[in-house]
């Protein structure tokens, strides 16, 4: 799943990845190369009621007003001034980073379910989540590891 550089799209996500330690801005700063991106982030933050607590921001329907033929801004980190004067570091991110998706329909409608049902077996996806942790050990808690073979094929990333 690809992400466009912020100069090529009008929808961008920026994440403050080191929230507790970025009061001096970014250690590696792409901002001087792309001042219009810094301005767009600062303008967005200026419209928030509590900009200092922003961790994930989505700037939508807004041109960054820049040109980047080499994708140098893709994944770039930008030092910005938060209203009030402190610095922060926002990194251009994959558009769904930190997003949460409800997978109930996918788990229920997975193509492996009919054969499991015919053989009186539990739902092969949901059985992991239905595991009962009898020990109380956090290490035995449920973790769903989805395959690397193209989860995006299910096209759930288009459902917000």
């Amino acid at each position: 799943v690809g992400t466009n550089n912020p100069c090529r799209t009008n929808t961008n996500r920026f994440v403050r990845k080191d929230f507790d330690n970025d009061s001096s801005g970014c250690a590696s700063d792409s901002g001087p190369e792309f001042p219009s991106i810094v301005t767009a982030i600062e303008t967005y933050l200026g419209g928030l009621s509590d900009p200092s607590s922003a961790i994930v921001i989505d700037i939508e329907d807004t041109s960054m007003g820049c040109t980047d033929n080499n994708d140098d801004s893709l994944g770039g980190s930008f030092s910005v001034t938060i209203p009030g004067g402190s610095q922060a570091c926002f990194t251009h991110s994959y558009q769904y980073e930190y997003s949460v998706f409800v997978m109930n329909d996918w788990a229920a409608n997975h193509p492996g379910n009919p054969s499991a049902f015919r053989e009186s077996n539990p739902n092969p996806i949901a059985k992991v989540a239905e595991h009962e942790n009898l020990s109380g050990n956090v290490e035995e808690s449920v973790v769903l590891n989805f395959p690397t073979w193209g989860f995006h094929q299910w096209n759930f990333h288009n459902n917000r």
Side-chain angles (χ1 to χ4, degrees), residues 83-136:
S86 64
Q87 292 281 302
C89 180
F90 280 89
T91 300
H92 178 252
S93 301
Y94 170 63
Q95 62 184 338
Y96 298 113
E97 183 173 354
Y98 285 88
S99 293
V100 176
F101 299 93
V102 177
M103 303 304 295
N104 296 350
D105 289 340
W106 179 75
N109 295 311
H110 186 274
N113 286 340
S115 62
F117 181 74
R118 280 192 300 276
E119 296 169 14
S120 298
N121 290 325
N123 176 315
I125 303 298
K127 75 178 181 182
V128 176
E130 294 164 355
H131 163 77
E132 186 176 359
N133 181 356
L134 299 175
S135 72

Side-chain angles (χ1 to χ4, degrees), residues 39-111:
T39 300
I41 296 170
E42 289 176 346
T43 300
Y44 182 90
L45 291 171
L48 299 178
S49 59
D50 185 11
S52 63
S53 67
I55 295 175
V56 177
I57 61 173
D58 291 318
I59 301 177
E60 298 177 334
D61 300 322
T62 303
S63 170
M64 293 291 128
C66 54
T67 302
D68 179 9
N69 296 326
N70 298 319
D71 288 339
D72 293 330
S73 61
L74 180 63
S77 295
F78 303 89
S79 293
V80 299
T81 302
I82 296 177
S86 64
Q87 292 281 302
C89 180
F90 280 89
T91 300
H92 178 252
S93 301
Y94 170 63
Q95 62 184 338
Y96 298 113
E97 183 173 354
Y98 285 88
S99 293
V100 176
F101 299 93
V102 177
M103 303 304 295
N104 296 350
D105 289 340
W106 179 75
N109 295 311
H110 186 274

Side-chain angles (χ1 to χ4, degrees), residues 13-34:
R13 175 164 282 189
F14 295 90
V15 177
R16 194 171 174 190
K17 296 186 181 228
D18 196 14
F19 182 82
D20 293 327
N21 300 306
D22 70 350
S23 60
S24 298
C26 306
S28 178
D29 190 1
S30 301
E33 258 186 283
F34 303 99

